[in-house]
Amino acid sequence: MTTSSSGQGVSLGMPELPAPDYPDDVRARLEQDAREIIARYPDSRSALLPLLHLVQSEEGYVTRTGMRFCADVLGLTTAEVTAVATFYTMYRRRPSGDYQVGVCTNTLCAVMGGDAIFEALQEHLGVGNGETTDDGKVTVEHIECNAACDYAPVVMVNWEFFDNQTPASVKRLVDDLRAGRPVTPTRGAPLCTFKETARILAGFPDEREGATEAGGSAGPASLMGLRLAKGEAAPARVVHPRDGGPDDGGPHGRPRDAAVHLSSHDAPQETSASDPSHPQGPVGEEGEG
Amino acid sequence: MTLAPEIDESSPEKLLVPVLSAFWDEDRSWTLDVYRRHEGYEGLRKALAMSPDDVIAYVKDSGLRGRGGAGFPTGMKWQFIPQGDGKPHYLVVNADESEPGTCKDIPLLFANPHSLIEGIVIACYAIRSSHAFIYLRGEVVPVLRRLHSAVREAYAAGYLGENILGSGLDLDITVHAGAGAYICGEETALLDSLEGRRGQPRLRPPFPAVAGLYACPTVVNNVESIASVPAILKNGKDWFRSMGSEKSPGFTLYSLSGHVANPGQYEAPLGITLRQLLDMSGGMRPGHRLKFWTPGGSSTPMFTDEHLDVPLDYEGVGAAGSMLGTKALQCFDETTCVVRAVTRWTEFYAHESCGKCTPCREGTYWMVQLMRDLEAGKGAMSDLDKLYDIADNVNGKSFCALGDGSAQPIFSSLKYFREEYEQHITGRGCPFDPAKSTAWADRKEVSA
């Protein structure tokens, strides 16, 4: 489904009811995970960030139920948990796709082609920033610098690196994802779903055979200085590994419309309380961090 | 050796010194086996044969300075931890690498995570800590896998856990993944975040060395700082001091990115120049010239082609009016609109401002409005002074350096490229074609 930010009325009447609980079996399983997470820290509250990753791995986004669960196991109020969950951008606040495709549009990647990629991708999929394709597979968003500037322009899918991308390579990438074809990052393991990724972020190791090995020791740009120091000739400039020309009829050749700002990311975001079964959001929620 | 501009030995073999990156090209470089084959954990053995205070003094004497941006002497940070106070001490490694342009810690942790773990054990022995945390930004799952794997290997081999190598030292490491917030790279915001709160900076004093994590004495060090410690112990402080300058000794990772022929990581003694790095690596992309660059990420005032011979060490860059920062050398050529670049950075700071301090929260918002208007050709000449004035009211007015960082691209671009801002105003629009700046612009004929 395509999620949209509209259609969420503001309720001025009854305060909303507490979020529903997880089913017993789910709760029991999550409680066991939570105990393991809490045991890593001298103070239980430190477990809140990994716990939010954990509840995200259960439902694909941070629901009111998930936040209530975090509050219960840590002895916090739901308000305290909500304050934290809304501060960090990796916590989704509404249902989203299996694959989160993030295009870096911070200055260096934007200049090197990130803006053109982001524009082409939205046009190709017919969705805007933060929106999901109808089949529920791909959520598109622009992201900030992801510490891979020597591989610009960079695209992250479920937080695995796709280096040296072009509009054509990214279009093919999302087509492959939607068709269920296997996709391998340039640095990182074969893609798993967003939920499975969230579980790794909660601190549970990726048990898949070969996941840690995938991607080799270092990418080509990381080795540039080492190769020179060893007297090996400077390799030719690395070309985007997913191949393909810069674009095929995409819009990047035309002068940029200066009035359009691709990075209008200080717009207000959805609240965390976007549980479809409890559509009314909290009144006066915290702004973005 | 000190690298002076007159040295004509400009070959990469002479100018580069791969230490942390020395074996990244080997198969399975991230594993304990490969690390040990390269004398891994030998620095730890030397450290454990010394007293903790002697280790602190040794690192202090080596002159190692923080690689996360501020350049504070690492040994001195360790020395500030009060000893015999009866409280737990903590080491927190800042692996929240997020400063735009910065891309050194992530490849380091991907290819050689054991250098960090060995450094952590040495540091914890020195400051008498039995629990260390690695705060890794969440958006780098491949690195998280390798850290999990390396920590597991280190426990199994007896480098972590109880009575490490028979020394009596007990140490646990917790790998903690963040959740997406640039501000958490600021050390006190990082501590709040690690305590399960919104990542907002704390007022200092008290400094983390006195009241850090859980209000206990805490050292917060950058990944590269800690990962450099084992090599110093293993090869000696004199070896370390033989590189770089008196005040900026040692080796470091320089990250070359942008419109250069060969972007990547270049490990060299402190004090190398951008000209030397470009000369050895193939220069700017063919047919283009350098227009502006950052010495250490977007928060460090930008430089131009006049600054190619500035020694890239703490003093050299400081004397030229900027900061060494994270040695993130983002290079932009003449196709790049500086107003567009600064607008995007300003949008970044506005997005990442945590909102705690009014000047930063409100100032970055207004700077974005002005920059957007200017870029779109809707600005007035008076907006340039207004922009400068707002940046001046953000700079130095908040708890942490995020606001200061947001003002630097504006100050420095107005200083070097005021004419270009004026062109946008008088020409009622941006004179640049963004299609010419892309990585593929010259690869194939593209009609603009």
Side-chain angles (χ1 to χ4, degrees):
Chain A
M1 88 242 93
T2 300
T3 53
S4 104
S5 57
S6 60
Q8 307 248 329
V10 176
S11 165
L12 299 174
M14 290 285 289
E16 64 183 335
L17 295 167
D21 208 346
Y22 283 122
D24 287 346
D25 57 327
V26 174
R27 189 179 169 98
R29 177 162 49 76
L30 290 177
E31 275 177 348
Q32 195 180 333
D33 289 338
R35 274 194 293 275
E36 196 180 324
I37 292 171
I38 292 167
R40 296 177 201 148
Y41 302 94
D43 182 308
S44 65
R45 182 162 179 165
S46 285
L48 181 51
L49 266 66
L51 280 174
L52 286 165
H53 284 304
L54 178 73
V55 298
Q56 188 155 256
S57 80
E58 188 61 31
E59 296 172 277
Y61 71 110
V62 175
T63 60
R64 294 174 64 242
T65 297
M67 289 192 284
R68 192 182 145 200
F69 171 80
C70 293
D72 282 353
V73 294
L74 295 179
L76 300 171
T77 64
T78 50
E80 285 169 319
V81 172
T82 308
V84 173
T86 54
F87 185 84
Y88 297 94
T89 52
M90 285 175 77
Y91 300 129
R92 295 165 157 186
R93 297 186 235 159
R94 53 182 165 167
S96 303
D98 290 339
Y99 300 101
Q100 177 158 313
V101 178
V103 182
C104 178
T105 57
N106 201 298
T107 300
L108 189 119
C109 273
V111 166
M112 300 291 288
D115 277 355
I117 291 172
F118 188 53
E119 198 176 333
L121 186 60
Q122 291 176 94
E123 212 161 276
H124 183 66
L125 294 176
V127 298
N129 183 37
E131 294 177 359
T132 303
T133 51
D134 289 340
D135 57 8
K137 293 279 188 198
V138 173
T139 299
V140 175
E141 65 170 6
H142 71 84
I143 59 172
E144 297 298 354
C145 185
N146 220 77
C149 315
D150 44 350
Y151 297 93
V154 171
V155 170
M156 305 297 294
V157 183
N158 289 353
W159 307 118
E160 311 277 350
F161 289 101
F162 290 77
D163 302 323
N164 302 108
Q165 294 298 294
T166 66
S169 71
V170 175
K171 284 185 209 168
R172 201 162 42 250
L173 164 64
V174 293
D175 288 348
D176 286 350
L177 288 173
R178 297 183 75 184
R181 289 188 282 270
V183 167
T184 308
T186 38
R187 286 177 295 146
L191 291 180
C192 47
T193 64
F194 184 83
K195 286 183 186 177
E196 288 159 342
T197 304
R199 188 168 171 84
I200 302 170
L201 286 162
F204 295 98
D206 191 339
E207 307 289 357
R208 292 178 299 161
E209 187 74 34
T212 306
E213 287 75 8
S217 295
S222 309
L223 298 176
M224 205 58 76
L226 177 60
R227 295 219 160 113
L228 281 174
K230 285 174 137 185
E232 299 169 18
R237 179 160 167 85
V238 187
V239 182
H240 36 95
R242 286 185 67 82
D243 196 44
D247 202 321
D248 25 69
H252 73 276
R254 65 168 170 73
R256 205 157 78 103
D257 179 355
V260 174
H261 292 279
L262 295 165
S263 192
S264 309
H265 45 207
D266 47 357
Q269 290 204 355
E270 284 287 289
T271 77
S272 59
S274 49
D275 185 341
S277 52
H278 294 78
Q280 68 274 49
V283 177
E285 94 271 15
E286 289 275 6
E288 259 297 86
Chain B
M1 88 217 116
T2 303
L3 286 164
E6 64 267 22
I7 289 180
D8 60 346
E9 294 168 305
S10 59
S11 73
E13 292 93 326
K14 288 270 193 314
L15 292 174
L16 296 176
V17 283
V19 177
L20 293 172
S21 61
F23 54 92
W24 291 2
D25 58 343
E26 284 188 25
D27 189 33
R28 300 175 64 80
S29 68
W30 69 90
T31 58
L32 181 58
D33 281 351
V34 175
Y35 188 62
R36 275 201 289 224
R37 213 183 302 145
H38 292 272
E39 300 180 295
Y41 291 97
E42 288 305 312
L44 173 62
R45 286 181 198 281
K46 288 198 177 171
L48 293 178
M50 301 160 73
S51 77
D53 285 340
D54 287 348
V55 175
I56 293 178
Y58 198 86
V59 172
K60 206 174 145 191
D61 290 349
S62 76
L64 173 64
R65 295 173 65 173
R67 302 292 193 240
F72 194 83
T74 303
M76 211 179 284
K77 245 187 190 178
W78 296 3
Q79 198 179 30
F80 287 154
I81 297 295
Q83 295 300 338
D85 56 348
K87 287 184 185 170
H89 300 168
Y90 295 108
L91 174 71
V92 178
V93 174
N94 185 344
D96 192 53
E97 182 165 68
S98 312
E99 168 77 8
T102 307
C103 50
K104 64 189 179 68
D105 296 335
I106 293 308
L108 168 58
L109 293 174
F110 190 62
N112 184 7
H114 279 287
S115 61
L116 175 67
I117 292 172
E118 184 182 0
I120 289 173
V121 185
I122 295 170
C124 287
Y125 175 68
I127 65 166
R128 286 85 153 177
S129 167
S130 59
H131 200 156
F133 297 85
I134 302 171
Y135 188 107
L136 177 72
R137 68 179 298 182
E139 301 99 322
V140 288
V141 172
V143 174
L144 183 59
R145 283 193 193 91
R146 297 233 165 132
L147 271 177
H148 280 151
S149 153
V151 167
R152 219 165 30 226
E153 282 185 311
Y155 270 107
Y159 298 121
L160 292 175
E162 288 177 6
N163 192 20
I164 293 166
L165 302 180
S167 65
L169 170 68
D170 300 339
L171 176 63
D172 286 311
I173 290 183
T174 299
V175 179
H176 180 96
Y182 167 69
I183 188 63
C184 294
E186 196 282 331
E187 64 174 11
T188 61
L190 187 153
L191 293 174
D192 260 36
S193 177
L194 187 51
E195 290 181 2
R197 297 164 196 280
R198 296 163 73 92
Q200 294 188 317
R202 303 173 177 176
L203 188 62
R204 280 151 291 194
F207 289 91
V210 175
L213 188 64
Y214 313 126
C216 291
T218 303
V219 168
V220 185
N221 277 147
N222 170 259
V223 168
E224 192 191 345
S225 315
I226 290 287
S228 299
V229 169
I232 294 172
L233 266 295
K234 177 163 64 84
N235 300 324
K237 61 187 180 190
D238 295 332
W239 164 81
F240 191 73
R241 282 199 163 277
S242 73
M243 294 173 273
S245 67
E246 174 66 27
K247 286 181 174 169
S248 298
F251 58 88
T252 195
L253 284 162
Y254 291 95
S255 309
L256 203 53
S257 64
H259 293 127
V260 295
N262 285 298
Q265 305 302 318
Y266 296 81
E267 203 171 2
L270 280 157
I272 198 167
T273 65
L274 181 62
R275 188 186 300 281
Q276 287 171 316
L277 284 166
L278 285 176
D279 281 352
M280 77 169 76
S281 67
M284 298 298 286
R285 59 179 181 169
H288 296 277
R289 58 178 178 76
L290 178 65
K291 179 177 174 183
F292 64 97
W293 56 291
T294 66
S298 58
S299 303
T300 60
M302 65 174 66
F303 279 160
T304 68
D305 58 357
E306 291 167 28
H307 302 93
L308 277 164
D309 295 312
V310 170
L312 295 174
D313 59 22
Y314 300 98
E315 288 69 35
V317 179
S322 187
M323 287 177 294
L324 184 63
T326 54
K327 304 136 313 159
L329 311 168
Q330 308 177 86
C331 301
F332 298 90
D333 69 17
E334 83 291 344
T335 64
T336 315
C337 172
V338 76
V339 179
R340 177 187 176 204
V342 173
T343 302
R344 195 57 60 87
W345 278 324
T346 308
E347 288 173 335
F348 166 76
Y349 290 111
H351 180 249
E352 299 296 336
S353 174
C354 77
K356 181 165 183 166
C357 310
T358 310
C360 173
R361 182 186 65 237
E362 302 300 319
T364 52
Y365 172 84
W366 285 111
M367 293 193 301
V368 167
Q369 309 310 311
L370 283 165
M371 287 300 308
R372 284 180 178 170
D373 275 358
L374 287 164
E375 191 197 354
K378 297 184 211 154
M381 285 296 177
S382 60
D383 286 344
L384 298 182
D385 293 332
K386 195 183 288 171
L387 179 66
Y388 190 97
D389 189 50
I390 294 174
D392 198 38
N393 275 296
V394 172
N395 190 29
K397 308 290 194 298
S398 302
F399 278 24
C400 86
L402 189 146
D404 306 353
S406 74
Q408 302 316 315
I410 288 173
F411 286 150
S412 55
S413 61
L414 280 170
K415 177 174 170 191
Y416 297 118
F417 298 100
R418 195 178 177 100
E419 271 178 24
E420 198 166 307
Y421 278 91
E422 290 172 355
Q423 260 182 303
H424 281 74
I425 297 165
T426 54
R428 292 271 150 224
C430 178
F432 291 86
D433 176 3
K436 292 200 163 69
S437 305
T438 61
W440 55 81
D442 297 340
R443 224 180 276 153
K444 195 169 151 186
E445 285 306 309
V446 176
S447 56

